[in-house]
Amino acid sequence: MNTGLISSRYALAFIDYAQEGNASDSIYLEVKTLLKSFSLYKELNNMLHNPILSQSQKHETIRVAMGGNVHPMFDKFLTLILENKREKQLQFIALKFIELYRERNNIFSAKLISAVDVDTATEQKLITMVKNEKNVRLELEKEIDPSILGGFIFEMDSLRWDGSISSQLRRMRKSFADKNKRIVS
Amino acid sequence: MSDNIKVSEVSEILRLQLQGIDSGVQFDEVGTVLQVSDGVARIYGLKKAEANELLEFENGVKAIVMNLEEDNVGAVLLGPTSYIKEGDSVKRTKRVASIHVGESMLGRVINPLGEALDGKGDIIGELLEMPLERKAPGVIFRQPVNEPLQTGLKAIDAMIPIGRGQRELIIGDRQTGKTSIAIDTIINQKENYEAGNPVYCIYVAIGQKGSTVASILNTLEEYGAMPYTVIVAASASDPAALQYFAPFAGAAIGEFFRDTGRHALVVYDDLSKQAVAYREVSLILRRPSGREAYPGDIFYLHSRLLERAAKIIKQQEVAEQMNDLPASLKGRVKGGGSLTALPVIETQAGDVSAYIPTNVISITDGQIFLDTDLFNQGNRPAINVGISVSRVGGNAQIKPMKKVAGTLKIDQAQFRELEAFTKFGGDMDPVTAMTINKGQKNSRLLVQSLHEPLSVEKQVAILYCGTHGLLSDVPLNSVPDFQKEFLTVLQLKHQADVLDVIKSGVINDEVSGIIEDLARKIAQEF
């Protein structure tokens, strides 16, 4: 019930603490690594929910998931979370931390998914376009996914522009299926 | 060369091409699934998502927003949990959970999302979008219940009458005939359908076996009830969320008929299973639990659902102003429609004081209580008259029925009391003996076979014989034969001067005279 509330409080305390120690930039990168581990290895979350494992075992696993090299401030924070038995919320806390960091540093994250590699010129064009619109620091992540067949998908924050061929085909198929339905909205 | 205009670039052609292209590409709001388990997904992102909003996953599975938390959204899945994985992206549809309703839905079996389950193809034709969750009509858009909804069952129409727009609970243990009462009521609406004044029926099967739903469909088809009936099925194997939404889908379909000036009847079979499904969803969403682990808003769940059953005011100009009208219904509203609800609750070992039964009893306008003992004694429908009641239906009873059966309920209660004494044996005074004789005959008269609903005029005629002691000389075992013969003769010889007169709402000395003469004549044969 209070998942959102708990993670927000921890994340807020953590970012303030990190900024006081001038370590927020390096911690931001570490949190991103942790989140990547969360999305790559589903077992990591299961492990945190496991009541049999001891706190120290969990602590060690999180360290490994972060590449083994953890900032002392982050390590302290992990100890606090484990002491308060809030490790189940770690993923939510990490996400909230990223959100807060980006908000405070005026960073705008975007993701470009394309079927083939995009050249630097197009990439720069896209970055300039967003910067002109928003006047922010853009953090662009690129992904190549041949399954979209062609076109591209551009994600900004929680908005997505899906101009991929696969989606267009899907929409076309749906519109054919709905052809004989007359829906009054 | 590139500056040269190609033939295909002529403005007119370009314009036509543009008209034909529905690129459909727009900014979607997306979120990412962080956790998924037992039909509930926690989604990060979707900051602007609204409560009850429909979400769509990339593979087409849908979900409904139930929890809005500070940094995540809890959504219940309307498809198999195994189709969704952590990391999947999900987008907002910017519309609340709704169902597309239309006339073409009649005769079909659908799921709570309005998708056909009967293999007869998609539901086509004009469909209106009706939200699953909608506020009930306010006080000024309603009018008191004053039209009867005939169930075709003597025991109910005589003693526990139901009016159009009423909420009457059918409650009892398993295997006591709860569903049969609902099905008989649906079958009895055939007469109205044939007369061109249909009461559309919606049967909502919640958490039932697929085979049970199939057999109900067969029964309704066999008795010609499907042309005016829709079956909404969320069977036991469907996700809890679908079982939870099924009654709301039924109510939305009913509202379509109600708000377009027609009459509808919705059967929720059964709400105890819906409560269990809602408990499951709530517990997985980590909402605090209360009595019997049900969430705190379980009462509100049923009250808001049942409050949507209503009789809408006849005044057209007032009805048009009805609150919370969906956009699709604007301009189509007609006054005078009604939605009657027959919720079903299954009790455990006759315990009506459990949590969900007491809740629903207090919400509804009366209850029909079915008793296992009565059922086993052969009194079917096994209605326990003593604790069954209809709080508003009395106003809706037709005059002849009121006159004939007015004292039936209290007479039967007195008879049950006296009957207990006769078990000790001994002599009885003639008055007691007569009361008992009449009571026994009446009890037998109220027994009715499955799927054989009687029209109201026939009910009045036969009950007249019972309440006026015309069966005193007929042996108890011959009562069913007497009834059969009496009704056959009445239909053949007195359709115009008795049955039609009663149907028009009149019972006078002439009619009662004919009934008495006929009854005496037939009674002599036994």
Side-chain angles (χ1 to χ4, degrees):
Chain A
M1 189 70 182
N2 291 324
T3 318
L5 205 63
I6 294 163
S7 53
S8 301
R9 286 182 184 181
Y10 275 87
L12 194 67
F14 186 33
I15 197 165
D16 285 344
Y17 176 62
Q19 274 181 342
E20 273 170 28
N22 283 330
S24 57
D25 295 343
S26 57
I27 288 178
Y28 170 66
L29 296 175
E30 285 182 8
V31 174
K32 273 174 82 175
T33 318
L34 178 65
L35 277 176
K36 207 164 187 180
S37 300
F38 267 117
S39 63
L40 284 177
Y41 310 106
K42 309 277 178 284
E43 297 78 12
L44 185 58
N45 218 342
N46 295 344
M47 183 274 299
L48 293 176
H49 280 77
N50 193 328
I52 297 167
L53 294 175
S54 70
Q55 304 297 60
S56 58
Q57 281 171 315
K58 286 183 182 176
H59 200 149
E60 197 45 49
T61 319
I62 299 169
R63 275 199 202 113
V64 172
M66 290 172 67
N69 201 5
V70 184
H71 194 282
M73 289 179 96
F74 200 162
D75 212 39
K76 269 190 182 174
F77 178 67
L78 286 177
T79 318
L80 176 77
I81 286 183
L82 288 163
E83 260 177 25
N84 292 350
K85 295 196 168 59
R86 292 296 189 194
E87 66 273 13
K88 286 177 197 164
Q89 262 91 38
L90 187 60
Q91 193 181 6
F92 288 96
I93 297 170
L95 282 163
K96 190 75 193 171
F97 178 89
I98 297 279
E99 195 185 312
L100 287 171
Y101 180 85
R102 284 177 179 161
E103 207 177 287
R104 290 187 181 188
N105 293 288
N106 207 17
I107 296 174
F108 198 72
S109 76
K111 190 177 179 185
L112 180 68
I113 305 166
S114 54
V116 287
D117 199 8
V118 181
D119 56 53
T120 335
T122 320
E123 192 185 321
Q124 278 307 321
K125 209 172 150 186
L126 208 63
I127 292 173
T128 330
M129 211 173 77
V130 177
K131 273 187 175 170
N132 287 344
E133 193 73 26
K134 295 247 175 191
N135 194 22
V136 286
R137 213 171 99 199
L138 187 72
E139 215 175 60
L140 185 71
E141 193 187 327
K142 285 197 294 180
E143 193 185 310
I144 295 167
D145 182 3
S147 71
I148 68 167
L149 302 176
F152 66 93
I153 300 170
F154 187 53
E155 287 180 9
M156 288 192 303
D157 219 5
S158 64
L159 293 178
R160 182 170 61 180
W161 177 274
D162 192 346
S164 65
I165 301 289
S166 62
S167 299
Q168 284 179 27
L169 288 173
R170 202 165 52 229
R171 270 196 295 274
M172 215 187 274
R173 185 178 146 183
K174 197 171 178 295
S175 72
F176 274 120
D178 293 345
K179 214 172 120 188
N180 51 0
K181 279 188 189 174
R182 278 194 297 134
I183 293 169
V184 185
S185 59
Chain B
M1 253 332 250
S2 61
D3 287 339
N4 289 347
I5 293 179
K6 293 178 203 154
V7 181
S8 61
E9 285 174 331
V10 175
S11 307
E12 185 61 17
I13 296 175
L14 283 176
R15 194 179 61 82
L16 286 174
Q17 279 179 341
L18 279 172
Q19 277 177 347
I21 295 172
D22 173 24
S23 70
V25 183
Q26 52 187 359
F27 271 112
D28 292 321
E29 260 192 81
V30 289
T32 316
V33 177
L34 286 189
Q35 285 173 7
V36 57
S37 59
D38 309 303
V40 169
R42 281 196 182 274
I43 299 155
Y44 189 80
L46 299 181
K47 283 179 193 140
K48 290 178 185 157
E50 294 166 12
N52 273 320
E53 187 177 332
L54 197 68
L55 306 176
E56 197 177 352
F57 291 89
E58 273 173 338
N59 56 8
V61 173
K62 297 204 169 67
I64 292 176
V65 175
M66 293 277 283
N67 266 19
L68 292 168
E69 295 189 26
E70 201 162 320
D71 71 339
N72 71 80
V73 166
V76 290
L77 304 177
L78 300 176
T81 312
S82 55
Y83 286 17
I84 309 297
K85 298 187 301 292
E86 278 103 345
D88 280 358
S89 77
V90 53
K91 70 171 188 202
R92 282 182 65 190
T93 60
K94 291 177 188 166
R95 55 192 183 92
V96 291
S98 55
I99 180 171
H100 292 122
V101 188
E103 313 279 341
S104 48
M105 225 168 222
L106 294 166
R108 305 296 300 269
V109 183
I110 55 165
N111 70 6
L113 301 173
E115 293 157 356
L117 295 175
D118 50 7
K120 292 180 187 167
D122 282 346
I123 312 260
I124 52 168
E126 192 181 65
L127 300 170
L128 305 190
E129 187 168 14
M130 301 288 293
L132 292 184
E133 289 266 13
R134 185 180 150 196
K135 270 192 193 160
V139 176
I140 51 167
F141 308 108
R142 294 173 183 249
Q143 73 175 42
V145 171
N146 56 13
E147 247 180 296
L149 181 106
Q150 305 295 352
T151 62
L153 295 165
K154 282 169 281 182
I156 296 177
D157 289 343
M159 295 184 287
I160 319 146
I162 301 171
R164 292 185 184 180
Q166 190 180 341
R167 294 118 0 127
E168 182 81 9
L169 169 68
I170 303 172
I171 186 168
D173 276 10
R174 62 189 179 82
Q175 292 293 313
T176 49
K178 302 183 294 296
T179 304
S180 301
I181 288 186
I183 296 299
D184 279 1
T185 309
I186 293 177
I187 292 173
N188 192 47
Q189 306 313 315
K190 193 179 173 187
E191 199 184 331
N192 291 322
Y193 176 70
E194 284 169 349
N197 179 28
V199 174
Y200 296 101
C201 301
I202 302 124
Y203 179 81
V204 186
I206 311 154
Q208 296 190 23
K209 286 180 288 182
S211 60
T212 313
V213 179
S215 82
I216 286 169
L217 172 67
N218 266 343
T219 310
L220 292 176
E221 265 173 357
E222 196 181 315
Y223 289 90
M226 275 316 277
Y228 56 89
T229 306
V230 185
I231 297 180
V232 182
S235 61
S237 63
D238 283 329
L242 272 189
Q243 296 183 35
Y244 156 61
F245 280 114
F248 290 97
I253 300 171
E255 278 171 342
F256 163 71
F257 294 113
R258 183 196 73 186
D259 294 343
T260 46
R262 292 168 291 176
H263 299 283
L265 163 77
V266 58
V267 178
Y268 304 117
D269 195 2
D270 65 71
L271 288 188
S272 16
K273 288 206 186 75
Q274 191 223 4
V276 169
Y278 186 52
R279 173 169 67 183
E280 184 180 327
V281 169
S282 297
L283 289 174
I284 301 168
L285 281 168
R286 294 175 185 275
R287 291 184 176 175
S289 55
R291 184 173 159 190
E292 288 173 32
Y294 286 106
D297 63 343
I298 192 87
F299 185 92
Y300 179 55
L301 168 79
H302 288 147
S303 66
R304 73 172 188 263
L305 172 72
L306 292 168
E307 197 60 17
R308 287 161 76 174
K311 172 111 177 100
I312 301 297
I313 195 160
K314 266 214 171 95
Q315 271 174 282
Q316 180 65 16
E317 57 277 16
V318 181
E320 277 171 3
Q321 304 296 316
M322 204 193 302
N323 57 313
D324 298 280
L325 266 184
S328 57
L329 265 185
K330 292 220 165 99
R332 291 165 188 260
V333 175
K334 275 203 186 111
S338 74
L339 176 63
T340 313
L342 290 180
V344 175
I345 289 279
E346 186 184 293
T347 52
Q348 304 297 327
D351 181 15
V352 282
S353 60
Y355 191 27
I356 304 300
T358 41
N359 276 356
V360 184
I361 285 172
S362 74
I363 293 164
T364 48
D365 306 312
Q367 70 276 353
I368 296 168
F369 184 81
L370 301 172
D371 200 329
T372 316
D373 292 338
L374 286 171
F375 187 85
N376 293 337
Q377 283 162 20
N379 296 311
R380 294 172 197 184
I383 298 170
N384 184 333
V385 180
I387 56 173
S388 298
V389 64
S390 172
R391 293 188 192 113
V392 291
N395 303 330
Q397 242 177 347
I398 63 162
K399 260 190 188 150
M401 182 61 99
K402 223 181 224 176
K403 208 168 165 187
V404 169
T407 57
L408 185 61
K409 197 174 175 197
I410 205 148
D411 285 349
Q412 286 305 95
Q414 278 173 357
F415 153 68
R416 293 264 172 236
E417 207 173 297
L418 284 176
E419 195 193 26
F421 284 108
T422 59
K423 295 215 168 106
F424 297 115
D427 292 335
M428 272 184 285
D429 64 282
V431 179
T432 314
M434 200 187 76
T435 315
I436 286 174
N437 181 295
K438 196 167 128 185
Q440 282 172 334
K441 302 283 163 65
N442 280 344
S443 293
R444 187 55 66 92
L445 212 54
L446 291 173
V447 172
Q448 202 166 335
S449 307
L450 195 62
H451 310 321
E452 280 180 16
L454 267 187
S455 60
V456 68
E457 58 274 16
K458 283 184 181 169
Q459 289 184 31
V460 172
I462 191 71
L463 287 172
Y464 184 93
C465 303
T467 52
H468 287 77
L470 302 177
L471 299 174
S472 53
D473 298 330
V474 179
L476 193 58
N477 289 333
S478 306
V479 171
D481 297 330
F482 170 87
Q483 178 185 314
K484 206 173 166 188
E485 198 167 337
F486 175 80
L487 291 177
T488 314
V489 176
L490 207 59
Q491 194 174 2
L492 287 175
K493 292 187 179 168
H494 300 284
Q495 178 71 39
D497 55 351
V498 176
L499 293 178
D500 289 348
V501 178
I502 296 175
K503 201 176 178 184
S504 66
V506 178
I507 187 158
N508 49 28
D509 292 344
E510 195 189 332
V511 171
S512 31
I514 298 172
I515 292 176
E516 281 180 27
D517 286 346
L518 185 64
R520 284 204 185 93
K521 221 158 91 188
I522 294 172
Q524 280 168 4
E525 294 172 18
F526 293 97

